[in-house]
């Protein structure tokens, strides 16, 4: 059993910043992929940023240069620093963690945290 808990969402003004945190715990000792996704009303869930166990990062084009993903492997925690926020960043943000076991990939999702960017 794996638990994934996000925190740090809320309301920010355009141009402002928020920092999301995600902590994974449970029966898996380490994860080889952690990432943030978001889903706006009426839209599909999309990848925002991801980081591998080796530290390789990947970003959606829409957030490059504004968002930074980082992780603490010792704590199975991943962060998303969001700067220069825009109203179009408004969405529910979900953390996903993954691991590979016996040749198969397994993923777990958090419950989501609301991010609203509005003046």
């Amino acid at each position: 059993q794996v638990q994934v808990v996000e925190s740090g969402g809320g309301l920010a003004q355009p141009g402002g910043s928020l920092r999301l945190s995600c902590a994974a715990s449970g029966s898996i000792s380490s994860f080889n992929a952690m990432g943030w996704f978001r889903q706006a009303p009426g839209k599909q869930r999309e990848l925002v940023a991801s980081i591998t166990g080796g530290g390789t990062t990947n970003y959606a084009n829409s957030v490059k240069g504004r968002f930074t993903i980082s992780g603490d492997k010792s704590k199975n925690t991943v962060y998303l620093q969001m700067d220069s926020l825009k109203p179009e960043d408004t969405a529910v943000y979900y953390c996903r963690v993954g691991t590979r076991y016996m040749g198969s990939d397994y993923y777990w999702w958090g419950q989501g945290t609301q991010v609203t960017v509005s003046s």
Side-chain angles (χ1 to χ4, degrees):
Q1 189 74 9
V2 174
Q3 295 79 43
V4 181
V5 179
E6 305 109 333
S7 62
L11 175 66
Q13 292 188 340
S17 299
L18 285 173
R19 180 178 169 88
L20 305 182
S21 299
C22 169
S25 61
S27 56
I28 304 296
S29 60
S30 65
F31 301 91
N32 62 1
M34 303 183 82
W36 290 95
F37 292 71
R38 67 186 180 187
Q39 187 167 20
K43 294 187 177 181
Q44 290 189 333
R45 191 173 297 189
E46 62 176 0
L47 173 69
V48 176
S50 64
I51 185 168
T52 67
T56 300
T57 58
N58 182 48
Y59 295 93
N61 287 334
S62 59
V63 306
K64 281 182 180 178
R66 301 188 298 119
F67 292 9
T68 304
I69 189 170
S70 60
D72 185 336
K73 290 182 64 177
S74 66
K75 298 180 180 179
N76 283 334
T77 300
V78 63
Y79 307 96
L80 185 68
Q81 177 66 40
M82 304 186 293
D83 299 318
S84 301
L85 283 163
K86 302 177 180 180
E88 50 263 43
D89 294 319
T90 296
V92 178
Y93 283 69
Y94 296 90
C95 178
R96 189 186 78 170
V97 301
T99 194
R100 170 157 286 194
Y101 178 73
M102 300 290 284
S104 296
D105 293 320
Y106 297 87
Y107 297 103
W108 295 267
W109 291 88
Q111 79 287 353
T113 185
Q114 177 69 46
V115 170
T116 302
V117 183
S118 175
S119 55

